[in-house]
Amino acid sequence: MLTFTARAIFWTAVVAAFVPAGFSAPEEGAFAREARAVLDRPAREGVYVAQAETARFCEAETAFCTVARELGAFAGLVGGVAANRAEQALEERLAPSEQASARSLDSVLEEVARERHAR
């Protein structure tokens, strides 16, 4: 069974294979400055502001917020059912030999990680 985590690990390994050995971002580069700015700013501050704005909006537009909540719950349900059906269909279509190769994905990723670490 191919799960999201396995796919994420696989594609991370594929991308990592193309990163040059010894690659690193400069300490005073744009990425470092942006990361420091994000870390310096309290993450909760933005959440509290968004929650307050949402609460004020929902006080004024109760019908809209009720419909939005129901729509969100329905979308989550439909998405879950679709994901389960897609996973079942994938499992049914995989032949035993393909299932064995899918299970060996972990061994392939371990080998890639060892090669990457050896550099």
Side-chain angles (χ1 to χ4, degrees):
M1 175 173 68
L2 293 177
T3 64
F4 172 77
T5 305
R7 283 185 240 146
I9 292 169
F10 171 76
W11 287 112
T12 300
V14 168
V15 170
F18 291 102
V19 175
F23 174 79
S24 64
E27 289 186 26
E28 295 303 319
F31 178 78
R33 284 191 305 272
E34 192 64 30
R36 277 191 216 98
V38 167
L39 291 175
D40 290 341
R41 181 179 49 215
R44 294 181 185 167
E45 179 181 305
V47 172
Y48 292 138
V49 169
Q51 286 176 341
E53 289 175 359
T54 302
R56 272 186 260 126
F57 178 78
C58 283
E59 285 175 7
E61 302 291 336
T62 56
F64 178 83
C65 288
T66 302
V67 170
R69 282 187 203 103
E70 293 296 324
L71 185 59
F74 179 71
L77 177 68
V78 170
V81 169
N84 287 338
R85 287 187 181 174
E87 188 174 347
Q88 288 173 352
L90 180 63
E91 288 175 356
E92 290 172 2
R93 289 186 180 181
L94 286 178
S97 62
E98 290 174 337
Q99 287 178 348
S101 66
R103 283 190 210 109
S104 68
L105 177 62
D106 290 334
S107 62
V108 171
L109 293 175
E110 288 174 5
E111 184 178 329
V112 169
R114 274 187 261 124
E115 288 177 8
R116 188 80 182 127
H117 183 44
R119 289 185 190 172

